[in-house]
Amino acid sequence: MTYNLDGKTAIVTGGASGIGRKTAERFAAEGANVVVADVVTDGGEETVESIESAGGSATFVETDVTDPDAVEAMVQTAVDTYGGLDIAHNNAGIEGETDPVAEQTEANWKQVMDINLTGVWLCLKYELQEMTANGDGDGDSDSDSDGVGGAIVNTSSIAGLSAAGSSAYAASKHGVIGLTRVAATEYAEADVRVNAVCPGVIETPMVEQSAAENPEEIEQFVGMQPLNRMGTPEEIANAVVWLCSDEASFVTGNAYPVDGGFTAL
């Protein structure tokens, strides 16, 4: 299925690889202008090159989502380059250390929370300011790069719906879902829809690193997914793009598992 995003402008954080890259590419393939944001410059620029080589429009901005000034500048880049902001996929995140609760370090807890939860909040803060800058709250779900309404998808995880993963990671991803629901209810009258996706075990660089360090744990999680395989970044991107399209115009405040059936058990 294809979605018409012609004339829309999208931001994707964590766009240098994995789910972020595939989502950015899919947004562009649907006609959107894409701001690719990441702390990894080389990977972010590669994503832009991939989009442009396929005939799409994209620009890269180096962004640390824990830095309010950097996040504000990221949103301003969308406005300055493409005239506004319609769509955002707040995807940047890390796994962190996987030690049990009593063995977690304060430094790891803080880093995971800063990136995975505070980073999503900062992105929402500045994205919502732009999306509602001239909103009239008339209930019209259409948006036209003019600061009126929009759609946002945050990346949570199956760890946000279960006890999967380490304590810091699971707590941060549960927090993303709570933040998503509150933002959705607070900004519904401003025509902004806010949802979350909850990926299962997906073939991403983060999972590949975890598999190298804890192969038995990854195999166990894959085995708990009834489809009995890893998902692909493209499959998560498909869900994100649908949620940001007019096909999902009556969908907000939800956390969607894309997990091969993991949370159904």
Side-chain angles (χ1 to χ4, degrees):
M1 180 175 289
T2 59
Y3 307 102
N4 181 12
L5 301 180
D6 289 347
K8 306 287 187 180
T9 297
I11 286 174
V12 179
T13 69
S17 64
I19 292 168
R21 173 173 289 181
K22 292 304 178 182
T23 302
E25 291 174 344
R26 181 67 192 276
F27 278 143
E30 297 294 340
N33 304 307
V34 185
V35 175
V36 178
D38 207 301
V39 292
V40 182
T41 301
D42 291 346
E45 291 177 344
E46 288 173 3
T47 300
V48 170
E49 291 173 4
S50 172
I51 289 171
E52 292 181 337
S53 67
S57 175
T59 188
F60 172 71
V61 56
E62 184 177 353
T63 306
D64 177 354
V65 296
T66 70
D67 180 349
D69 291 337
V71 174
E72 185 176 17
M74 173 188 74
V75 174
Q76 192 61 44
T77 296
V79 175
D80 292 343
T81 306
Y82 300 116
L85 179 64
D86 304 286
I87 294 167
H89 180 204
N90 299 321
N91 171 71
I94 62 170
E95 181 182 27
E97 298 170 3
T98 59
D99 297 318
V101 173
E103 298 172 28
Q104 284 278 324
T105 64
E106 292 180 17
N108 178 69
W109 180 274
K110 185 177 187 305
Q111 183 184 37
V112 172
M113 289 297 173
D114 283 350
I115 295 172
N116 291 5
L117 184 54
T118 303
V120 171
W121 167 68
L122 284 171
C123 288
L124 283 169
K125 175 182 175 72
Y126 291 105
E127 291 158 359
L128 287 164
Q129 287 178 8
E130 174 58 29
M131 288 179 176
T132 62
N134 301 303
D136 55 12
D138 63 1
D140 184 354
S141 64
D142 293 335
S143 59
D144 300 301
S145 291
D146 56 3
V148 181
I152 300 173
V153 175
N154 302 317
T155 298
S156 180
S157 168
I158 54 171
L161 297 168
S162 69
S166 69
S167 57
Y169 185 76
S172 71
K173 293 302 187 178
H174 273 76
V176 168
I177 292 174
L179 182 59
T180 297
R181 288 172 172 159
V182 171
T185 57
E186 289 180 342
Y187 290 89
E189 290 188 359
D191 304 326
V192 180
R193 296 184 299 102
V194 188
N195 291 287
V197 287
C198 301
V201 184
I202 308 299
E203 295 175 358
T204 65
M206 186 171 74
V207 170
E208 289 173 1
Q209 181 178 347
S210 294
E213 297 171 355
N214 304 291
E216 293 181 359
E217 183 178 52
I218 294 297
E219 289 177 7
Q220 179 182 8
F221 278 129
V222 171
M224 293 171 68
Q225 298 180 155
L227 290 183
N228 199 32
R229 66 172 175 84
M230 287 192 189
T232 67
E234 291 88 348
E235 288 172 315
I236 308 303
N238 291 341
V240 173
V241 174
W242 173 73
L243 285 168
C244 290
S245 76
D246 288 343
E247 297 294 321
S249 59
F250 200 54
V251 179
T252 195
N254 288 289
Y256 277 83
V258 189
D259 62 0
F262 180 95
T263 53
L265 297 175

